[in-house]
Amino acid sequence: MPSMDCSTRRLAADEIAEINRTHLVDTPLRPADLLFMFGTREDVALRVDVAAKLWREGFFRWSIVSGGVTPGSEQSECTIIKAAMVAAGIPQDLVLEEHHAMNTGENVIFSLPIIDAALGLQNIRSVICLGNTWTARRYPMTLHRHWPQVEKMLLTVDSFAIPRALWHTDVEFRRRVLHEWDKIEPYKARGFIAEWPEA
């Protein structure tokens, strides 16, 4: 039997509240050693604007951009995003590159050896994860599964006109959030992600 369409699934108020409380979170930010830019085709300019603002305000020392070539493009997400970051004023030699990842797990798994070779994982104590609002805590949960030692912060962006807490009132925003929310428990069970923040 096919699963119910995320955009039409009935939602109880308590599930909406739980998603707002536990999934769609941003953490307090403080200066970090590394900004982890997860690849995307959505809202690239917005994400880069946020990264450039963080750079100007001294919130990270290095960055890594991770993302492979997606259908319809000849360039990797990493190539596109890094070029935009450099154009926005972030020094290119401070932005590490990972060009092969096709999902969030690969973003982390493929990036860790690159970070280690360039900087030494032991020298990175804190990371800001920057990505799409709807993917939300799955970024640091994936990072926590593979790199538990480092402190993780989360900042997410989107271009929807409505407030984040009202995501369920927009058909496309709702579809994206529920698509990611429905992955959390199965991914935890399969060991793809780890609970974060830890209780």
Side-chain angles (χ1 to χ4, degrees):
M1 182 175 169
S3 61
M4 186 175 289
D5 183 349
C6 287
S7 61
T8 58
R9 187 175 103 203
R10 289 179 61 88
L11 277 174
D14 59 346
E15 185 176 13
I16 294 168
E18 184 182 3
I19 291 170
N20 285 340
R21 182 179 60 82
T22 65
H23 186 63
L24 301 180
V25 292
D26 282 343
T27 63
L29 295 184
R30 63 176 188 79
D33 294 317
L34 183 73
L35 176 71
F36 201 125
M37 289 281 279
F38 288 82
T40 187
R41 288 169 288 173
E42 302 282 349
D43 300 327
V44 170
L46 175 59
R47 193 178 303 193
V48 168
D49 285 348
V50 170
K53 183 173 187 288
L54 291 174
W55 170 254
R56 290 192 301 271
E57 295 176 359
F59 273 94
F60 63 92
R61 299 164 63 196
W62 297 284
S63 180
I64 186 162
V65 184
S66 172
V69 177
T70 55
S73 178
E74 295 180 358
Q75 294 182 302
S76 69
E77 292 174 340
C78 175
T79 297
I80 294 166
I81 294 170
K82 178 173 179 174
M85 291 171 69
V86 172
I90 301 172
Q92 71 174 27
D93 57 344
L94 300 183
V95 183
L96 306 178
E97 304 175 24
E98 188 291 304
H99 292 276
H100 302 288
M102 298 303 291
N103 57 55
T104 305
E106 290 182 353
N107 286 142
V108 173
I109 292 166
F110 295 170
S111 292
L112 288 181
I114 295 168
I115 298 166
D116 195 25
L119 307 173
L121 291 179
Q122 73 279 4
N123 296 318
I124 305 299
R125 296 172 303 280
S126 53
V127 176
I128 297 172
C129 301
L130 179 56
N132 298 319
T133 295
W134 49 90
T135 307
R137 67 176 173 145
R138 200 160 62 76
Y139 296 122
M141 290 179 83
T142 306
L143 199 60
H144 198 59
R145 162 66 179 81
H146 299 283
W147 197 8
Q149 302 87 350
V150 75
E151 178 193 356
K152 297 148 195 83
M153 292 167 273
L154 175 62
L155 179 59
T156 61
V157 298
D158 64 77
S159 58
F160 288 101
I162 61 171
R164 180 176 302 183
L166 298 179
W167 58 269
H168 54 283
T169 66
D170 180 282
V171 172
E172 179 59 18
F173 205 173
R174 174 190 178 105
R175 185 192 68 77
R176 293 184 192 186
V177 169
L178 291 179
H179 181 70
E180 295 296 333
W181 170 249
D182 289 344
K183 293 177 181 178
I184 296 292
E185 292 306 321
Y187 278 21
K188 279 167 55 176
R190 295 170 70 180
F192 294 166
I193 59 179
E195 192 60 54
W196 177 93
E198 293 178 290

